[in-house]
Amino acid sequence: MARYKLVRKYHPGHRAGDKPRWPTADDWKTIEKVSMYLERSRLNDYVYLIDKKSRWIRINLMGGIFRGIGLAIGFSLLGAVAFLVLQQVVTLNLPLISDFIAELLNLVEQSRRIRP
């Protein structure tokens, strides 16, 4: 159930001289569903967050910093694992793959000798 009690009031959508139209039970069920959806979406918290500019900036700044750190750590770990896997492939002495990797390593070594 919704946190707030819905009170039936006069329906404002009628014209002068018309009999007032009261919301039906189906209308109230729909209103209850919308009310529950809005409470579950925590729209109030979002509006509070947007209203405080300094808090919004602080949260986004910290999120960006931590994403950058996580990206650096993740990339380093992935690179280290890839390097270890390539070393193992070379030691397995597979015909095509090992030759390709050995040639690639030779090119890297040659480029290191050229550039001090």
Side-chain angles (χ1 to χ4, degrees):
M1 274 325 269
R3 186 184 313 174
Y4 305 103
K5 179 81 173 145
L6 294 175
V7 180
R8 293 181 183 217
K9 291 189 176 182
Y10 177 71
H11 190 273
H14 82 284
R15 287 177 280 178
D18 286 349
K19 185 176 180 182
R21 181 188 168 290
W22 294 93
T24 63
D26 290 336
D27 293 341
W28 285 108
K29 286 179 186 176
T30 304
I31 291 170
E32 281 287 326
K33 286 180 185 178
V34 169
S35 173
M36 290 299 292
Y37 174 74
L38 287 174
E39 283 184 22
R40 268 189 263 123
S41 70
R42 299 177 64 177
L43 188 63
N44 204 12
D45 295 338
Y46 183 68
V47 169
Y48 173 75
L49 178 67
I50 289 176
D51 194 34
K52 303 284 186 178
K53 298 293 183 198
S54 61
R55 181 178 164 98
W56 181 258
I57 291 170
R58 189 176 67 234
I59 287 174
N60 282 320
L61 180 65
M62 294 301 289
I65 289 170
F66 287 125
R67 272 186 221 103
I69 291 171
L71 183 70
I73 291 171
F75 186 72
S76 299
L77 290 175
L78 186 65
V81 168
F83 185 72
L84 291 173
V85 167
L86 286 176
Q87 280 183 336
Q88 292 299 320
V89 168
V90 168
T91 58
L92 289 175
N93 210 9
L94 297 173
L96 295 175
I97 298 173
S98 293
D99 293 338
F100 175 73
I101 294 173
E103 185 66 33
L104 187 65
L105 291 175
N106 286 335
L107 289 173
V108 170
E109 285 298 321
Q110 286 176 2
S111 71
R112 282 181 142 179
R113 287 184 201 142
I114 293 172
R115 294 184 205 153

